[in-house]
Amino acid sequence: MLDAIKKNGKGILLMFVSATALCIGQLIWKKMDGIQILPLLLGFVIYGVGALVMIMAFKYGELSVLQPMNSMSYVISTILAYFVLNEKISRMRLVGIIIIIIGVVVLASAGAASSKDKTSSDENKDGGRAS
Amino acid sequence: MTIGMILLAVFSSLIASIASFFLKKTTGRASTIPEMLKTWTLYVGGILYLISACIGIYILKKIDYSVAVPLGALTYVWTLFVSRVLLKEKITFRKVLGIGIILVGVIIMAKSV
């Protein structure tokens, strides 16, 4: 049972890592003055890592739980914009990202709960026939 | 901002959802990156994501950001149904609640920009 909870947990954690990498990649591009080779490549690589980690994350949990974790990128990019770009965060935006975080927490707990109840495995070892 | 553009945005979010399904399928068949690169579902998922992103970029020129972003977040709703039908993942109250709250947060956040 603990394994089941841990399974979604690993996927969720990887999704957070992915979202962070995606945001950092975009941030590097945003901070670029015009088009510079090194930041362009670095941002591309980090963004690519983020995409790959996201795909790997899908292995470790339910798609309906993990995919919405992408919404954390709104939160992370807001935080990055505040601390790195010194952008002002409006109160409404702050409320918005707090609510997103609440939704993410609720969804993450749903993942743990439903994987506890599942009798069939999350892992599609056979590569999956749709039925 | 026309109905057609809004429907297009909704369609784009559906494509992104189907793309993520194919990416999930990829991890079922491959555990390492080299293996993934040999799996066709990776490319279907990737191309669908690109299509969705391109439509999204086009949409942003036609409708407000404060409308486009929440419509993009509809992909989480689509995924709930896609994964129910194709992956047999249960639709639970907590999942619906969580996604609903996320959508509210996205709408509020998008309106603030």
Side-chain angles (χ1 to χ4, degrees):
Chain A
M1 199 203 295
L2 269 173
D3 277 330
I5 300 174
K6 266 192 187 165
K7 236 184 182 294
N8 265 289
K10 182 169 181 179
I12 292 170
L13 209 64
L14 285 173
M15 287 303 290
F16 287 173
V17 170
S18 158
T20 306
L22 292 174
C23 290
I24 292 177
Q26 290 174 339
L27 180 69
I28 291 175
W29 283 340
K30 179 151 187 177
K31 267 214 119 172
M32 266 194 318
D33 287 320
I35 306 224
Q36 302 164 290
I37 292 290
L38 202 61
L40 189 70
L41 236 56
L42 186 64
F44 188 77
V45 167
I46 294 179
Y47 194 87
V49 167
L52 273 170
V53 171
M54 184 187 83
I55 296 172
M56 287 197 269
F58 284 165
K59 191 184 181 73
Y60 300 105
E62 295 184 295
L63 188 65
S64 49
V65 172
L66 295 182
Q67 208 249 14
M69 296 297 159
N70 275 321
S71 62
M72 278 305 286
S73 65
Y74 297 126
V75 177
I76 294 169
S77 58
T78 301
I79 294 174
L80 285 176
Y82 181 73
F83 285 111
V84 178
L85 301 174
N86 294 311
E87 284 180 15
K88 291 206 191 322
I89 311 292
S90 71
R91 209 160 290 177
M92 212 175 176
R93 188 175 181 104
L94 191 61
V95 169
I97 66 169
I98 287 174
I99 293 178
I100 290 175
I101 292 173
I102 293 173
V104 164
V105 170
V106 171
L107 185 60
S109 74
S114 62
S115 65
K116 254 197 290 181
D117 297 334
K118 272 171 95 73
T119 48
S120 60
S121 170
D122 260 343
E123 277 175 321
N124 28 21
K125 290 191 186 118
D126 62 344
R129 286 171 291 116
S131 59
Chain B
M1 189 145 68
T2 68
I3 290 282
M5 286 301 131
I6 292 182
L7 284 176
L8 193 58
V10 173
F11 178 68
S12 163
S13 65
L14 173 61
I15 301 222
S17 178
I18 295 172
S20 67
F21 163 74
F22 278 103
L23 294 178
K24 164 91 181 174
K25 273 299 172 203
T26 308
T27 61
R29 300 174 184 205
S31 306
T32 68
I33 294 177
E35 281 172 25
M36 283 190 211
L37 289 173
K38 294 182 193 167
T39 317
W40 66 274
T41 51
L42 176 75
Y43 298 102
V44 173
I47 289 172
L48 285 175
Y49 246 132
L50 272 171
I51 293 175
S52 170
C54 289
I55 298 178
I57 291 172
Y58 171 75
I59 292 280
L60 274 175
K61 300 185 181 169
K62 302 280 182 174
I63 64 181
D64 292 342
Y65 181 88
S66 63
V67 176
V69 172
L71 287 176
L74 275 181
T75 193
Y76 312 142
V77 178
W78 290 122
T79 301
L80 200 60
F81 293 115
V82 168
S83 62
R84 172 66 188 88
V85 172
L86 298 177
L87 295 167
K88 304 285 186 235
E89 292 178 8
K90 286 187 171 38
I91 297 180
T92 70
F93 173 72
R94 245 190 261 190
K95 282 187 194 178
V96 173
L97 183 65
I99 291 172
I101 294 174
I102 289 174
L103 276 175
V104 169
V106 169
I107 291 171
I108 293 176
M109 182 210 71
K111 274 198 135 19
S112 72
V113 174

